[in-house]
Amino acid sequence: MHIGAVADRTGLSLRTLRHYDEVGVLRPSGRTDGGFRLYTQHDVERLLLIRRMKPLGFTLEEMREVLDLVESLADPAVDPQGPREHLAAFVVRAEQRRAELARTLEMADEFIDLLRRR
């Protein structure tokens, strides 16, 4: 599918998708004869994983690492123990960041309540 359809399906901007390609976070699976990016359903699934990491503040390098780990788990030639241990560390970091966001939301809710009471 073309980049516009992928942007619609993932909620990511065209600019973001091009940036991910340029920095090597996620390159499209192919290109047309005219050079237009072509994405597969697998690419879309990987982009959705990236999109879920963004609000948690993961860096592009961390996103690339998670994608590589997930891909390695799908490879029958790879011992899954190493990638699973690395992914477990990402789970811990994601849980910590989620807790921080929850605290931030609580403070925002308190602020909104204070303003509404005035």
Side-chain angles (χ1 to χ4, degrees):
M1 64 194 90
H2 289 273
I3 193 169
V6 172
D8 289 342
R9 290 181 73 177
T10 62
L12 297 169
S13 69
L14 297 174
R15 181 176 181 221
T16 297
L17 293 171
R18 289 184 188 111
H19 180 67
Y20 288 167
D21 180 12
E22 291 166 8
V23 299
V25 171
L26 191 132
R27 299 192 189 281
S29 290
R31 293 207 180 245
T32 66
D33 291 338
F36 294 101
R37 293 167 177 87
L38 291 174
Y39 294 86
T40 63
Q41 180 59 37
H42 181 67
D43 295 333
V44 169
E45 290 166 10
R46 293 180 63 164
L47 286 164
L48 291 171
L49 181 62
I50 291 169
R51 190 188 77 192
R52 290 178 178 107
M53 293 179 73
K54 282 178 70 170
L56 295 173
F58 285 101
T59 65
L60 292 176
E61 183 57 39
E62 289 170 321
M63 291 175 185
R64 188 179 305 119
E65 186 178 350
V66 167
L67 290 174
D68 289 345
L69 290 167
V70 169
E71 285 296 313
S72 69
L73 286 172
D75 184 349
V78 173
D79 177 12
Q81 186 61 31
R84 283 195 181 120
E85 288 176 5
H86 281 87
L87 284 174
F90 275 102
V91 168
V92 169
R93 284 188 274 178
E95 289 172 339
Q96 290 168 341
R97 292 174 183 188
R98 186 194 179 286
E100 291 171 17
L101 287 171
R103 284 190 294 275
T104 301
L105 282 173
E106 286 174 8
M107 285 190 286
D109 288 342
E110 289 172 8
F111 173 68
I112 291 167
D113 286 343
L114 285 171
L115 292 179
R116 285 184 175 151
R117 284 189 243 147
R118 300 205 178 258

